[in-house]
Amino acid sequence: MADTCLHAYCLVTAFCAFVVTQTGFAVEQSSRPNAALFFEDDRSLLVEEATEARKHLDPFTDPVRQNIIIAFLLYGCHIGLGNQRHAYYFLREATTLYTASALESQATSAQADDTDPSLAGNLFWLLIVSERAHAIRRHRPITLKVTPQSPQLEDDPRSEASAVGFRCLTHLYLPFDEEFLGHWNGTHTTCSIESLVALEERIRSAVPADLDLPDVIMADLRVSQQWLRIMIWQLSTTAGFLSTNPSHECMDFRYPLLIAQDLCLATWKLSRQSMETHGIGLIEKIFEVACTLIDVMACLSAAGLRSSGFKLGPQDYLKHFSSLIYDLPGGRRRFLPLLFTKIGQTLPSMVDPITIHLNLLPNPLLSSTDNIQSTSTIARNEAAIEASAETVTDSISDDWAYGNFNYAEMSRIGDKTPEIDEAFLQYSTYFP
């Protein structure tokens, strides 16, 4: 009985820590008047409490599945806190426990305890998605493999919305196997244009354009879809496959402009709450799409950066991404300073427009002018952009005709995302 209570206590504590670290709830609550229930330091305290309780558990004892879930929750906690090494440790522990056939050895007790026989299968696919997403972000290897013996992914068209969304999310990450990650991490050198084009098409079809699910599900699907398309394009850049006259549009130097457009249109349709639910991971994906957009924008002429008539331009996309990063919990503190670092180093002409768009006060570190006066608020800016979104066309031939394209600047594509350095520290002193 004591062991059961300890497992339950550790699971509940880890879950609470996961919620406040992933969603930014603690920070948001502490910034509101008369809301002293949670403070930023309490996030770390909850994680420490769950970690301390876990020290008294044997991960290979019954219930093994709970131990895997606890390790996974602690992985998410450390992702939310920005502790990448700790996060990777707990993720590897969760996948290792599963790979070690701990679940199979507990089959009898598991079947007796489970009211839903698909729980073990869902856990497997959750680990698959999480491990591959982390491997792409951090250039890590993967341990879990999909084999004929792997649990079957539920494929019932009559399933509930959550099951359909989970299936689509799994289909997004399934193609990013050891072969892709070998190319991504530089351990495999042989890669073909055809394989990347096929992968791009598979990612686009994994989440159909006419898919109609609740916003909270579509938020993760659409953002992940566009982020993965950016990752494929980055690998194409590294492999030297991009061209000014490509056989497929995804091999064009300017393809991220179309991906940014698709992500903007998708997120304009989503409620803020639906995106908040997915925590810091969703913000990081938007941030990485924005960084690649900035790299491509640096290659465009001044005329190419602006919107044309009723059509949106790259500047509009970047402003929208900046607003999302600014508004979503956790984004303002962690990613907005990095975004300004990226803009300041790569596209300094956009520092002032983004500052004005976010209605930020003038700051000598952010502005190249002596005085900046904001003439509009974020709400008015977003409303104007959203109103014109309906006029955007899917055709890329007109949208990409932005005059001269500086291909020499393409050498910066694929540079490492800005890390905490002196520039970051300068910008971070500006943001509350």
Side-chain angles (χ1 to χ4, degrees):
M1 179 65 70
D3 289 342
T4 302
C5 292
L6 185 56
H7 271 94
Y9 175 77
C10 187
L11 179 64
V12 171
T13 307
F15 178 75
C16 292
F18 178 88
V19 171
V20 297
T21 54
Q22 276 289 312
T23 63
F25 177 77
V27 177
E28 290 297 296
Q29 287 295 102
S30 64
S31 64
R32 296 174 184 171
N34 302 321
L37 180 59
F38 285 110
F39 294 93
E40 187 171 6
D41 290 343
D42 292 322
R43 299 186 302 169
S44 298
L45 291 177
L46 275 172
V47 176
E48 291 172 5
E49 178 66 17
T51 305
E52 186 63 30
R54 193 171 179 274
K55 292 179 181 178
H56 301 283
L57 300 177
D58 182 351
F60 290 99
T61 58
D62 186 45
V64 176
R65 189 172 300 161
Q66 275 196 18
N67 289 319
I68 297 175
I69 295 174
I70 291 171
F72 176 80
L73 291 174
L74 290 174
Y75 153 71
C77 291
H78 286 289
I79 285 291
L81 294 175
N83 302 330
Q84 299 302 332
R85 292 184 179 180
H86 292 76
Y88 184 56
Y89 171 86
F90 284 109
L91 177 61
R92 286 300 291 262
E93 182 168 304
T95 57
T96 300
L97 283 173
Y98 199 103
T99 306
S101 300
L103 284 177
E104 284 76 6
S105 67
Q106 298 293 329
T108 303
S109 61
Q111 290 174 0
D113 293 339
D114 288 344
T115 56
D116 184 358
S118 66
L119 179 60
N122 288 341
L123 179 58
F124 170 77
W125 293 112
L126 175 64
L127 292 175
I128 285 284
V129 169
S130 301
E131 186 182 38
R132 296 187 181 195
H134 189 88
I136 296 170
R137 282 198 193 103
R138 309 299 171 194
H139 290 270
R140 302 287 193 180
I142 58 175
T143 56
L144 284 182
K145 301 177 182 179
V146 180
T147 67
Q149 290 72 41
S150 299
Q152 293 296 312
L153 185 62
E154 184 180 354
D155 195 18
D156 186 353
R158 299 169 298 177
S159 302
E160 295 181 358
S162 59
V164 174
F166 186 67
R167 184 170 64 246
C168 289
L169 185 66
T170 304
H171 286 158
L172 276 177
Y173 284 95
L174 269 180
F176 296 88
D177 53 14
E178 285 185 308
E179 181 179 358
F180 174 88
L181 290 168
H183 299 310
W184 182 253
N185 295 331
T187 56
H188 297 169
T189 56
T190 305
C191 184
S192 67
I193 294 179
E194 292 75 18
S195 64
L196 293 181
V197 170
L199 180 57
E200 157 76 16
E201 293 175 347
R202 185 172 175 181
I203 296 306
R204 296 185 68 172
S205 63
V207 185
D210 59 350
L211 184 64
D212 185 19
L213 294 173
D215 277 5
V216 68
I217 299 175
M218 292 304 300
D220 193 19
L221 291 177
R222 289 302 181 201
V223 173
S224 296
Q225 183 184 45
Q226 309 314 323
W227 174 69
L228 289 171
R229 291 172 67 193
I230 284 289
M231 298 300 104
I232 297 171
W233 183 85
Q234 287 186 3
L235 181 57
S236 303
T237 305
T238 305
F241 293 153
L242 300 188
S243 170
T244 57
N245 187 25
S247 57
H248 192 279
E249 63 182 9
C250 68
M251 293 296 153
D252 195 292
F253 282 108
R254 295 156 291 190
Y255 191 57
L257 300 179
L258 182 56
I259 298 176
Q261 179 189 95
D262 291 344
L263 182 56
C264 282
L265 294 177
T267 51
W268 276 321
K269 299 175 183 178
L270 299 170
S271 66
R272 169 174 166 170
Q273 185 178 10
S274 68
M275 290 184 279
E276 288 179 350
T277 303
H278 296 285
I280 205 71
L282 182 138
I283 304 174
E284 184 173 6
K285 292 172 183 175
I286 295 174
F287 167 73
E288 291 183 354
V289 173
C291 285
T292 302
L293 173 64
I294 292 167
D295 286 333
V296 175
M297 288 175 65
C299 307
L300 298 175
S301 64
L305 295 176
R306 297 189 295 270
S307 57
S308 175
F310 291 103
K311 295 181 181 179
L312 299 178
Q315 282 188 352
D316 302 310
Y317 308 149
L318 183 56
K319 289 177 180 178
H320 178 61
F321 295 150
S322 301
S323 295
L324 290 177
I325 294 171
Y326 181 86
D327 287 336
L328 294 175
R332 188 180 312 179
R333 294 186 176 216
R334 182 180 301 184
F335 292 109
L336 193 61
L338 289 175
L339 183 65
F340 269 103
T341 298
K342 179 70 175 181
I343 297 173
Q345 294 174 350
T346 308
L347 197 65
S349 63
M350 283 299 299
V351 171
D352 287 358
I354 296 298
T355 303
I356 294 173
H357 175 73
L358 297 179
N359 202 26
L360 297 174
L361 296 174
N363 183 284
L365 296 173
L366 294 176
S367 176
S368 59
T369 60
D370 292 331
N371 295 291
I372 297 179
Q373 293 184 351
S374 175
T375 58
S376 61
T377 63
I378 296 175
R380 286 203 298 268
N381 286 332
E382 292 302 320
I385 295 174
E386 186 171 2
S388 62
E390 297 179 356
T391 65
V392 176
T393 174
D394 290 333
S395 174
I396 61 176
S397 57
D398 293 334
D399 291 341
W400 286 6
Y402 290 131
N404 296 327
F405 189 83
N406 186 356
Y407 294 100
E409 286 291 330
M410 291 302 294
S411 61
R412 75 170 66 248
I413 302 291
D415 286 350
K416 190 176 181 181
T417 298
E419 298 288 353
I420 297 178
D421 53 15
E422 292 183 2
F424 172 84
L425 293 175
Q426 288 177 341
Y427 285 115
S428 64
T429 60
Y430 172 69
F431 299 103

